[in-house]
Amino acid sequence: MDYFKNLAGLLELELAHDRAQHELLLSSRTLSERKELGVTWYPIQISDSELGRGDYLTVTFHKTNDLENGHRFRFGMPISLFSNYSPQEDKIQGTIAFVNQNLMKVSFRTEELPEWSRKGKLGLDLLFDENSYREMKAALLEAERGIEDPQKGKLTRKLLGLEPLTVGHGQDDFDDVTLNQSQNQAVRHILGEGDLAILHGPPGTGKTTTLIKAISVAIERSGEQVLIVAPSNTAVDVLAERLDRLGLNVLRIGNPVKVSAHLLALTLDEKASKHAGYKEVKGLEKQARAYTDMARKYKRNFGRSEYEQRKALLNEARKIRKDIDRIQDYVIEDLLDKAQVIAATLVGANHPHIRDRRFHTVVIDEAAQGLEPACWIPILKADRLLLAGDHCQLPPTIKSEEKESRQLFNTLFEKLVKKYPDSVSFLDTQYRMNSQIMSYPSMTMYDGMLKAAPSAAEWRLTGDCQPLVFIDTAGAGFEEKEDEGALSNKEEADFLINHLTTLITQLEGEYNEGLLPTIGIITPYRGQANRLKTLLSDMVGLSDIDLQVSTVDGFQGQEKDIIYISLVRSNTDGNIGFLSDVRRINVALTRAKKKLIVIGDSSTIGQHAFYKGFLDYVESVNGYHSVWEWDII
């Protein structure tokens, strides 16, 4: 079918661009730069190794410095172990079996590591992860072929409009006093057993709370196992942890990002290690290791009899390994069968342990941020589908710069919202923002349907009468500049920090010894975020303040009492770049609870209809100010 062929073509563009960028990164950056970017660990130490399933050697590595640095290594990704004595020649590829902040287990298809690995100066490079692309391509191919299958292709045909879709009428007997009217209606709709249910949750409307309630009640009523997935590990972790807190049996496939004891306890590895049937495995593993260790004592220059002895020892280890595999397979199947909720990322939904499982209901959270080809991986396992998200916030990350690739911004979530409006439940009450901060996003992004809960509508800082402020830098000479591909605005950053310093002094007076309001600084540009972080690092007395600086993407799902937005763009051409993606700016405008301060050049942004409307709205609530009202010299 052309629909899936077109998606496959777009995916190929992403793959080509992504691969080229990653290879360029590894080849053009120094070791220290790669460490800083989170794609290399160096130096590392080997703390353990054991022969695992299918004659794979599993080796445990530890970071020895840079322990606070984040990284991009994730479960299932390919890596290269290298020696810095000769990094081009001395290297071997493996796959990540487990990773947290400073420890990584890697599986290598070999009985032992090469001789050079014993000399030290070892490091790990993150290789390009083609596996996720392979899984997405396979899903598109399966979806295309499966359309003809009467049973397996049924949901696919309905989603594409090739067959009538059943809309659930809702369970009128559900009502929860802890939920508002729109949340209760959404849960009733989800429980209605239609082929498709869509939960549209604008910022601060309690989407996750509603989703968790719907999932838990559905499991309680039907007893069916549910697969929940999301584009990011972080989103999966949130759902897994909250469902576990409700007492549901949750099984987390893959490694959680937030490696807490609580989340680790939900993983397959951890549950398997505590399973009653696993006790025998530990004894067998000791025996296998003993045989393997004896075999490794033989040197490379041994004779025929030593060779035969070594071979016999390794064969004995393999036999024991097969017994271990048999027990582990039983344990894993038992855990999978008893789980009420299986949680994974979109691509993780095709993890070998659950690849062939089907589910009555599949839930995709943050579906509006999911690349459509990835969404089809879990959908193909479903009889019915529940999507949750907000297509008026951040779209998926698209790496290719080809014009055709923009089609991927139009997500499956957005397509289905438009195609099947009767399947959509809209959460209309937000609990985050003062009503002044909320009103413009509500009018422009949500057809004016969003309202503020009474508890939030009049939220303000102590002593403050202006929840929304726009500070216009037009005519002040605050010009954007590009340095090595990074866009920033020095004067705008300096002004923001000076304004923030004054505000903090006022807050300290108003709040006396009490807890100061939390503060976030958001900018669409990484160059500006880095500039602001540098300026803040030179300031003293900030240790007691909850203050965060990030790009828009980094603030998705978060909130602060006070938000500053630095728009950066200031030029004579009216060029606003990706500020024109109003979904991105919608995220920034909806993070503040009590005060929002936007700083930008009206002459640059005002030529765009969205920002012209915003400037008009700000003036209507007396929030417009010129930068000249402050001493900027």
Side-chain angles (χ1 to χ4, degrees), residues 52 82 113 135 149 204 215 396 415 437 471 552 558:
F82 66 87
L113 291 178
E135 295 290 3
D149 188 302
I215 293 169
K415 291 174 186 176
I437 298 170
I471 301 175
V552 178
Q558 297 191 63

Side-chain angles (χ1 to χ4, degrees), residues 329-478:
D329 287 342
Y330 159 73
V331 167
I332 287 165
E333 280 304 304
D334 190 52
L335 289 169
L336 287 167
D337 289 341
K338 288 176 179 171
Q340 294 171 290
V341 175
I342 294 177
T345 59
L346 293 171
V347 175
N350 243 10
H351 186 284
H353 293 315
I354 59 170
R355 186 182 294 276
D356 299 321
R357 286 194 165 238
R358 281 197 69 79
F359 300 87
H360 178 61
T361 302
V362 167
V363 180
I364 304 180
D365 192 20
E366 303 299 354
Q369 289 184 60
L371 209 58
E372 181 172 348
C375 289
W376 283 102
I377 298 171
I379 290 171
L380 294 173
K381 302 175 187 302
D383 294 326
R384 68 184 298 259
L385 179 63
L386 166 56
L387 300 176
D390 179 13
H391 54 294
C392 303
Q393 295 189 64
L394 286 180
T397 301
I398 308 299
K399 294 168 184 174
S400 170
E401 293 163 7
E402 299 288 337
K403 190 177 180 181
E404 303 99 297
S405 296
R406 292 177 195 164
Q407 294 175 56
L408 289 169
F409 283 129
N410 186 17
T411 61
L412 183 63
F413 182 92
E414 190 168 0
K415 291 174 186 176
L416 294 174
V417 165
K418 289 175 181 172
K419 189 187 285 281
Y420 297 114
D422 290 346
S423 293
V424 180
S425 296
F426 181 81
L427 301 182
D428 63 12
T429 306
Q430 64 83 20
Y431 297 83
R432 175 183 295 163
M433 297 164 271
N434 176 288
S435 56
Q436 257 190 39
I437 298 170
M438 175 209 71
S439 289
Y440 189 69
S442 176
M443 288 187 293
T444 54
M445 306 301 289
Y446 304 106
D447 297 325
M449 293 193 297
L450 197 58
K451 59 189 179 186
S455 58
E458 295 303 319
W459 262 355
R460 295 172 191 246
L461 299 175
T462 302
D464 184 54
C465 60
Q466 280 196 324
L468 176 62
V469 172
F470 177 78
I471 301 175
D472 191 357
T473 66
F478 290 12

